[in-house]
Short mmCIF file of all heavy atoms in Angstrom, two decimals:
data_model
loop_
_atom_site.label_atom_id
_atom_site.label_comp_id
_atom_site.label_asym_id
_atom_site.label_seq_id
_atom_site.Cartn_x
_atom_site.Cartn_y
_atom_site.Cartn_z
N LEU O 534 -1.11 -34.47 8.88
CA LEU O 534 0.20 -35.05 9.17
C LEU O 534 1.31 -34.27 8.47
O LEU O 534 2.34 -33.95 9.09
CB LEU O 534 0.24 -36.52 8.72
CG LEU O 534 1.56 -37.26 8.95
CD1 LEU O 534 1.91 -37.27 10.44
CD2 LEU O 534 1.47 -38.67 8.43
N ILE O 535 1.13 -33.94 7.21
CA ILE O 535 2.15 -33.19 6.47
C ILE O 535 2.34 -31.81 7.09
O ILE O 535 3.47 -31.35 7.28
CB ILE O 535 1.77 -33.07 4.98
CG1 ILE O 535 1.84 -34.44 4.30
CG2 ILE O 535 2.71 -32.09 4.26
CD1 ILE O 535 1.37 -34.43 2.86
N ALA O 536 1.25 -31.14 7.38
CA ALA O 536 1.34 -29.80 7.97
C ALA O 536 2.06 -29.85 9.31
O ALA O 536 2.90 -29.01 9.62
CB ALA O 536 -0.05 -29.20 8.13
N GLY O 537 1.75 -30.84 10.13
CA GLY O 537 2.38 -30.96 11.44
C GLY O 537 3.85 -31.30 11.33
O GLY O 537 4.68 -30.76 12.06
N MET O 538 4.20 -32.18 10.40
CA MET O 538 5.61 -32.54 10.21
C MET O 538 6.42 -31.33 9.77
O MET O 538 7.54 -31.11 10.23
CB MET O 538 5.74 -33.65 9.16
CG MET O 538 7.17 -34.08 8.91
SD MET O 538 7.28 -35.38 7.65
CE MET O 538 6.49 -36.74 8.51
N GLN O 539 5.84 -30.52 8.92
CA GLN O 539 6.55 -29.34 8.45
C GLN O 539 6.82 -28.36 9.57
O GLN O 539 7.89 -27.79 9.67
CB GLN O 539 5.75 -28.65 7.33
CG GLN O 539 6.37 -27.36 6.81
CD GLN O 539 7.74 -27.59 6.18
OE1 GLN O 539 8.13 -28.73 5.93
NE2 GLN O 539 8.47 -26.52 5.94
N ARG O 540 5.84 -28.19 10.47
CA ARG O 540 6.05 -27.26 11.59
C ARG O 540 7.21 -27.74 12.46
O ARG O 540 8.03 -26.94 12.91
CB ARG O 540 4.77 -27.14 12.43
CG ARG O 540 3.73 -26.23 11.81
CD ARG O 540 2.67 -25.86 12.83
NE ARG O 540 1.94 -27.02 13.33
CZ ARG O 540 0.88 -27.55 12.74
NH1 ARG O 540 0.42 -27.02 11.61
NH2 ARG O 540 0.27 -28.59 13.26
N VAL O 541 7.28 -29.04 12.69
CA VAL O 541 8.38 -29.60 13.49
C VAL O 541 9.71 -29.36 12.80
O VAL O 541 10.68 -28.89 13.41
CB VAL O 541 8.17 -31.10 13.73
CG1 VAL O 541 9.40 -31.72 14.38
CG2 VAL O 541 6.95 -31.33 14.61
N LEU O 542 9.79 -29.65 11.50
CA LEU O 542 11.05 -29.53 10.77
C LEU O 542 11.48 -28.08 10.63
O LEU O 542 12.66 -27.75 10.79
CB LEU O 542 10.93 -30.17 9.39
CG LEU O 542 10.85 -31.71 9.38
CD1 LEU O 542 10.51 -32.21 7.98
CD2 LEU O 542 12.15 -32.32 9.87
N VAL O 543 10.55 -27.20 10.31
CA VAL O 543 10.90 -25.79 10.13
C VAL O 543 11.42 -25.20 11.43
O VAL O 543 12.42 -24.48 11.46
CB VAL O 543 9.70 -24.98 9.61
CG1 VAL O 543 9.96 -23.48 9.73
CG2 VAL O 543 9.44 -25.32 8.14
N ASN O 544 10.78 -25.52 12.55
CA ASN O 544 11.25 -25.03 13.84
C ASN O 544 12.63 -25.58 14.16
O ASN O 544 13.47 -24.88 14.72
CB ASN O 544 10.26 -25.42 14.95
CG ASN O 544 9.11 -24.45 15.07
OD1 ASN O 544 9.27 -23.36 15.59
ND2 ASN O 544 7.97 -24.84 14.55
N PHE O 545 12.89 -26.83 13.78
CA PHE O 545 14.20 -27.43 14.01
C PHE O 545 15.27 -26.68 13.23
O PHE O 545 16.31 -26.30 13.77
CB PHE O 545 14.19 -28.89 13.61
CG PHE O 545 15.56 -29.51 13.55
CD1 PHE O 545 16.24 -29.83 14.72
CD2 PHE O 545 16.19 -29.75 12.35
CE1 PHE O 545 17.51 -30.39 14.68
CE2 PHE O 545 17.45 -30.30 12.29
CZ PHE O 545 18.11 -30.62 13.46
N PHE O 546 15.04 -26.44 11.95
CA PHE O 546 16.05 -25.77 11.14
C PHE O 546 16.22 -24.31 11.53
O PHE O 546 17.30 -23.75 11.42
CB PHE O 546 15.70 -25.90 9.65
CG PHE O 546 16.04 -27.25 9.08
CD1 PHE O 546 15.06 -28.19 8.88
CD2 PHE O 546 17.35 -27.58 8.81
CE1 PHE O 546 15.37 -29.44 8.39
CE2 PHE O 546 17.68 -28.83 8.32
CZ PHE O 546 16.68 -29.77 8.11
N ASP O 547 15.16 -23.69 12.00
CA ASP O 547 15.28 -22.31 12.47
C ASP O 547 16.23 -22.24 13.65
O ASP O 547 16.99 -21.28 13.81
CB ASP O 547 13.90 -21.79 12.87
CG ASP O 547 13.96 -20.36 13.37
OD1 ASP O 547 14.49 -19.50 12.65
OD2 ASP O 547 13.49 -20.10 14.49
N THR O 548 16.23 -23.27 14.49
CA THR O 548 17.14 -23.32 15.63
C THR O 548 18.55 -23.70 15.21
O THR O 548 19.54 -23.16 15.69
CB THR O 548 16.63 -24.35 16.67
OG1 THR O 548 15.32 -23.97 17.06
CG2 THR O 548 17.53 -24.38 17.89
N ALA O 549 18.65 -24.65 14.27
CA ALA O 549 19.96 -25.16 13.86
C ALA O 549 20.76 -24.16 13.05
O ALA O 549 21.98 -24.11 13.11
CB ALA O 549 19.78 -26.45 13.05
N TYR O 550 20.07 -23.31 12.27
CA TYR O 550 20.76 -22.36 11.41
C TYR O 550 20.37 -20.93 11.77
O TYR O 550 19.54 -20.30 11.12
CB TYR O 550 20.43 -22.63 9.94
CG TYR O 550 20.68 -24.06 9.53
CD1 TYR O 550 19.67 -24.82 8.97
CD2 TYR O 550 21.92 -24.66 9.71
CE1 TYR O 550 19.89 -26.15 8.59
CE2 TYR O 550 22.16 -25.97 9.33
CZ TYR O 550 21.14 -26.70 8.78
OH TYR O 550 21.35 -28.01 8.42
N GLN O 551 20.96 -20.45 12.83
CA GLN O 551 20.54 -19.17 13.38
C GLN O 551 20.90 -17.98 12.48
O GLN O 551 20.26 -16.95 12.54
CB GLN O 551 21.17 -18.97 14.77
CG GLN O 551 20.61 -19.90 15.83
CD GLN O 551 19.17 -19.62 16.18
OE1 GLN O 551 18.71 -18.51 16.01
NE2 GLN O 551 18.47 -20.63 16.66
N ASP O 552 21.92 -18.12 11.64
CA ASP O 552 22.36 -16.95 10.86
C ASP O 552 22.01 -17.07 9.38
O ASP O 552 22.67 -16.50 8.53
CB ASP O 552 23.88 -16.78 11.02
CG ASP O 552 24.66 -17.95 10.44
OD1 ASP O 552 24.05 -18.99 10.14
OD2 ASP O 552 25.89 -17.81 10.29
N TYR O 553 20.93 -17.76 9.05
CA TYR O 553 20.61 -17.99 7.64
C TYR O 553 20.20 -16.73 6.89
O TYR O 553 20.26 -16.67 5.69
CB TYR O 553 19.49 -19.04 7.52
CG TYR O 553 18.13 -18.57 7.95
CD1 TYR O 553 17.15 -18.25 7.00
CD2 TYR O 553 17.81 -18.46 9.29
CE1 TYR O 553 15.90 -17.85 7.40
CE2 TYR O 553 16.56 -18.05 9.69
CZ TYR O 553 15.60 -17.75 8.74
OH TYR O 553 14.37 -17.34 9.14
N GLN O 554 19.82 -15.64 7.61
CA GLN O 554 19.40 -14.41 6.94
C GLN O 554 20.37 -13.27 7.25
O GLN O 554 20.00 -12.14 7.26
CB GLN O 554 17.97 -14.05 7.36
CG GLN O 554 17.83 -13.43 8.75
CD GLN O 554 17.85 -14.45 9.85
OE1 GLN O 554 18.11 -15.62 9.62
NE2 GLN O 554 17.60 -14.02 11.06
N SER O 555 21.65 -13.59 7.46
CA SER O 555 22.56 -12.62 8.05
C SER O 555 23.08 -11.55 7.09
O SER O 555 23.51 -10.51 7.53
CB SER O 555 23.76 -13.35 8.68
OG SER O 555 24.43 -14.10 7.69
N ASP O 556 23.07 -11.79 5.76
CA ASP O 556 23.64 -10.77 4.87
C ASP O 556 22.61 -10.27 3.88
O ASP O 556 21.56 -10.87 3.66
CB ASP O 556 24.86 -11.34 4.12
CG ASP O 556 24.50 -12.57 3.31
OD1 ASP O 556 23.93 -12.40 2.22
OD2 ASP O 556 24.79 -13.69 3.77
N ALA O 557 22.93 -9.12 3.25
CA ALA O 557 21.98 -8.46 2.35
C ALA O 557 21.63 -9.31 1.14
O ALA O 557 20.47 -9.36 0.72
CB ALA O 557 22.57 -7.12 1.90
N ALA O 558 22.63 -9.98 0.57
CA ALA O 558 22.37 -10.80 -0.62
C ALA O 558 21.40 -11.93 -0.31
O ALA O 558 20.50 -12.23 -1.10
CB ALA O 558 23.69 -11.36 -1.16
N THR O 559 21.58 -12.53 0.85
CA THR O 559 20.68 -13.60 1.26
C THR O 559 19.27 -13.06 1.47
O THR O 559 18.29 -13.69 1.08
CB THR O 559 21.17 -14.25 2.57
OG1 THR O 559 22.45 -14.82 2.35
CG2 THR O 559 20.22 -15.34 3.03
N GLY O 560 19.16 -11.86 2.05
CA GLY O 560 17.87 -11.24 2.26
C GLY O 560 17.14 -10.98 0.96
O GLY O 560 15.95 -11.27 0.83
N GLU O 561 17.85 -10.45 -0.04
CA GLU O 561 17.24 -10.18 -1.34
C GLU O 561 16.80 -11.47 -2.02
O GLU O 561 15.74 -11.53 -2.67
CB GLU O 561 18.22 -9.43 -2.25
CG GLU O 561 18.49 -8.00 -1.81
CD GLU O 561 17.22 -7.16 -1.80
OE1 GLU O 561 16.40 -7.29 -2.73
OE2 GLU O 561 17.06 -6.37 -0.85
N ARG O 562 17.61 -12.52 -1.87
CA ARG O 562 17.26 -13.81 -2.45
C ARG O 562 15.99 -14.35 -1.80
O ARG O 562 15.09 -14.86 -2.49
CB ARG O 562 18.41 -14.81 -2.26
CG ARG O 562 18.10 -16.22 -2.77
CD ARG O 562 19.18 -17.20 -2.36
NE ARG O 562 19.40 -17.22 -0.92
CZ ARG O 562 18.58 -17.81 -0.04
NH1 ARG O 562 17.50 -18.42 -0.46
NH2 ARG O 562 18.86 -17.77 1.25
N MET O 563 15.89 -14.22 -0.46
CA MET O 563 14.71 -14.70 0.24
C MET O 563 13.46 -13.95 -0.19
O MET O 563 12.40 -14.55 -0.38
CB MET O 563 14.91 -14.54 1.75
CG MET O 563 15.88 -15.53 2.36
SD MET O 563 16.04 -15.29 4.16
CE MET O 563 14.39 -15.75 4.70
N ILE O 564 13.57 -12.63 -0.37
CA ILE O 564 12.42 -11.84 -0.82
C ILE O 564 11.92 -12.34 -2.16
O ILE O 564 10.73 -12.64 -2.34
CB ILE O 564 12.80 -10.34 -0.93
CG1 ILE O 564 13.05 -9.76 0.47
CG2 ILE O 564 11.70 -9.56 -1.65
CD1 ILE O 564 13.65 -8.36 0.44
N TRP O 565 12.84 -12.46 -3.11
CA TRP O 565 12.46 -12.86 -4.47
C TRP O 565 11.89 -14.27 -4.50
O TRP O 565 10.83 -14.51 -5.11
CB TRP O 565 13.68 -12.76 -5.38
CG TRP O 565 13.39 -13.20 -6.79
CD1 TRP O 565 12.66 -12.54 -7.73
CD2 TRP O 565 13.82 -14.43 -7.39
NE1 TRP O 565 12.60 -13.27 -8.90
CE2 TRP O 565 13.30 -14.43 -8.71
CE3 TRP O 565 14.58 -15.51 -6.96
CZ2 TRP O 565 13.52 -15.48 -9.60
CZ3 TRP O 565 14.80 -16.55 -7.84
CH2 TRP O 565 14.28 -16.55 -9.15
N GLU O 566 12.54 -15.20 -3.83
CA GLU O 566 12.11 -16.60 -3.89
C GLU O 566 10.74 -16.80 -3.23
O GLU O 566 9.89 -17.52 -3.76
CB GLU O 566 13.14 -17.50 -3.22
CG GLU O 566 14.40 -17.68 -4.05
CD GLU O 566 15.44 -18.54 -3.37
OE1 GLU O 566 15.25 -18.90 -2.19
OE2 GLU O 566 16.46 -18.84 -4.02
N HIS O 567 10.51 -16.17 -2.09
CA HIS O 567 9.21 -16.33 -1.43
C HIS O 567 8.09 -15.68 -2.24
O HIS O 567 7.00 -16.24 -2.35
CB HIS O 567 9.26 -15.76 -0.01
CG HIS O 567 9.94 -16.64 0.98
ND1 HIS O 567 11.31 -16.75 1.08
CD2 HIS O 567 9.43 -17.49 1.92
CE1 HIS O 567 11.63 -17.62 2.03
NE2 HIS O 567 10.50 -18.08 2.56
N GLN O 568 8.36 -14.52 -2.79
CA GLN O 568 7.32 -13.85 -3.59
C GLN O 568 7.02 -14.61 -4.87
O GLN O 568 5.86 -14.75 -5.27
CB GLN O 568 7.73 -12.41 -3.89
CG GLN O 568 7.73 -11.51 -2.66
CD GLN O 568 8.08 -10.07 -2.96
OE1 GLN O 568 8.47 -9.72 -4.08
NE2 GLN O 568 7.95 -9.22 -1.95
N GLU O 569 8.05 -15.13 -5.52
CA GLU O 569 7.85 -15.90 -6.76
C GLU O 569 7.13 -17.22 -6.47
O GLU O 569 6.27 -17.65 -7.24
CB GLU O 569 9.18 -16.16 -7.44
CG GLU O 569 9.77 -14.95 -8.14
CD GLU O 569 8.89 -14.48 -9.28
OE1 GLU O 569 8.49 -15.33 -10.11
OE2 GLU O 569 8.59 -13.28 -9.35
N LEU O 570 7.49 -17.86 -5.38
CA LEU O 570 6.84 -19.13 -5.02
C LEU O 570 5.36 -18.88 -4.72
O LEU O 570 4.49 -19.63 -5.17
CB LEU O 570 7.54 -19.76 -3.82
CG LEU O 570 6.94 -21.05 -3.26
CD1 LEU O 570 6.86 -22.13 -4.35
CD2 LEU O 570 7.75 -21.55 -2.07
N ALA O 571 5.08 -17.84 -3.94
CA ALA O 571 3.69 -17.52 -3.61
C ALA O 571 2.89 -17.20 -4.87
O ALA O 571 1.74 -17.65 -5.02
CB ALA O 571 3.65 -16.34 -2.63
N ALA O 572 3.49 -16.44 -5.78
CA ALA O 572 2.80 -16.08 -7.02
C ALA O 572 2.54 -17.30 -7.89
O ALA O 572 1.47 -17.42 -8.49
CB ALA O 572 3.63 -15.05 -7.79
N ALA O 573 3.49 -18.20 -7.95
CA ALA O 573 3.32 -19.41 -8.76
C ALA O 573 2.19 -20.28 -8.22
O ALA O 573 1.39 -20.83 -8.99
CB ALA O 573 4.63 -20.21 -8.80
N ILE O 574 2.11 -20.39 -6.90
CA ILE O 574 1.02 -21.18 -6.29
C ILE O 574 -0.32 -20.48 -6.51
O ILE O 574 -1.33 -21.11 -6.83
CB ILE O 574 1.30 -21.41 -4.80
CG1 ILE O 574 2.52 -22.33 -4.65
CG2 ILE O 574 0.08 -22.01 -4.10
CD1 ILE O 574 3.00 -22.51 -3.23
N ARG O 575 -0.32 -19.16 -6.36
CA ARG O 575 -1.55 -18.39 -6.61
C ARG O 575 -2.04 -18.58 -8.04
O ARG O 575 -3.24 -18.72 -8.31
CB ARG O 575 -1.29 -16.91 -6.36
CG ARG O 575 -2.48 -15.98 -6.63
CD ARG O 575 -1.99 -14.57 -6.82
NE ARG O 575 -1.09 -14.47 -7.98
CZ ARG O 575 -0.18 -13.50 -8.16
NH1 ARG O 575 -0.03 -12.57 -7.23
NH2 ARG O 575 0.56 -13.48 -9.24
N ASP O 576 -1.08 -18.64 -8.99
CA ASP O 576 -1.43 -18.81 -10.40
C ASP O 576 -1.66 -20.26 -10.78
O ASP O 576 -1.90 -20.57 -11.94
CB ASP O 576 -0.30 -18.23 -11.28
CG ASP O 576 -0.12 -16.74 -11.07
OD1 ASP O 576 -1.06 -16.08 -10.57
OD2 ASP O 576 0.97 -16.22 -11.40
N ARG O 577 -1.54 -21.16 -9.80
CA ARG O 577 -1.73 -22.61 -10.02
C ARG O 577 -0.77 -23.13 -11.08
O ARG O 577 -1.11 -23.97 -11.91
CB ARG O 577 -3.17 -22.92 -10.42
CG ARG O 577 -4.24 -22.23 -9.58
CD ARG O 577 -4.31 -22.75 -8.17
NE ARG O 577 -5.32 -22.02 -7.36
CZ ARG O 577 -5.65 -22.33 -6.12
NH1 ARG O 577 -5.07 -23.35 -5.51
NH2 ARG O 577 -6.55 -21.63 -5.46
N ASP O 578 0.46 -22.64 -11.01
CA ASP O 578 1.50 -23.02 -11.97
C ASP O 578 2.47 -24.00 -11.29
O ASP O 578 3.42 -23.60 -10.63
CB ASP O 578 2.25 -21.76 -12.43
CG ASP O 578 3.22 -22.03 -13.57
OD1 ASP O 578 3.66 -23.19 -13.72
OD2 ASP O 578 3.56 -21.08 -14.30
N SER O 579 2.22 -25.30 -11.45
CA SER O 579 3.00 -26.33 -10.76
C SER O 579 4.46 -26.31 -11.15
O SER O 579 5.35 -26.43 -10.29
CB SER O 579 2.42 -27.72 -11.05
OG SER O 579 1.13 -27.85 -10.49
N ASN O 580 4.75 -26.19 -12.45
CA ASN O 580 6.15 -26.23 -12.90
C ASN O 580 6.96 -25.08 -12.31
O ASN O 580 8.08 -25.27 -11.81
CB ASN O 580 6.21 -26.19 -14.43
CG ASN O 580 5.71 -27.48 -15.06
OD1 ASN O 580 5.78 -28.54 -14.44
ND2 ASN O 580 5.20 -27.39 -16.28
N ARG O 581 6.39 -23.87 -12.35
CA ARG O 581 7.11 -22.72 -11.80
C ARG O 581 7.26 -22.84 -10.29
O ARG O 581 8.31 -22.50 -9.73
CB ARG O 581 6.38 -21.42 -12.17
CG ARG O 581 7.08 -20.14 -11.71
CD ARG O 581 6.66 -18.93 -12.53
NE ARG O 581 5.25 -18.68 -12.47
CZ ARG O 581 4.66 -17.69 -11.76
NH1 ARG O 581 5.41 -16.88 -11.05
NH2 ARG O 581 3.37 -17.53 -11.78
#
C-alpha cells in the first residue's frame, strides 16, 4: 500500500511541477541530497 501510494503521489508531483530541476543550483542540490539519502539508508543510519 505504501509503495503504491508513493508511485501515485510522485507521478502527480512530477506532472504538477514540471520545472523543478530547471537550474544548475537545483541540480547540484538534487545530486547531493539523493546520494546522501541513499548512503544513509545503506549505512542503516536512521537519524541521518
Side-chain angles (χ1 to χ4, degrees):
L534 180 59
I535 292 175
M538 181 180 292
Q539 177 62 13
R540 281 195 298 274
V541 172
L542 289 171
V543 167
N544 276 284
F545 169 74
F546 282 102
D547 180 53
T548 302
Y550 307 124
Q551 291 292 335
D552 64 347
Y553 72 104
Q554 76 280 8
S555 59
D556 58 78
T559 299
E561 290 300 319
R562 177 189 56 76
M563 287 181 66
I564 291 171
W565 178 73
E566 287 178 353
H567 282 79
Q568 291 183 352
E569 285 297 311
L570 177 57
I574 292 173
R575 178 200 62 202
D576 297 340
R577 314 291 178 175
D578 188 337
S579 294
N580 290 333
R581 183 157 59 105

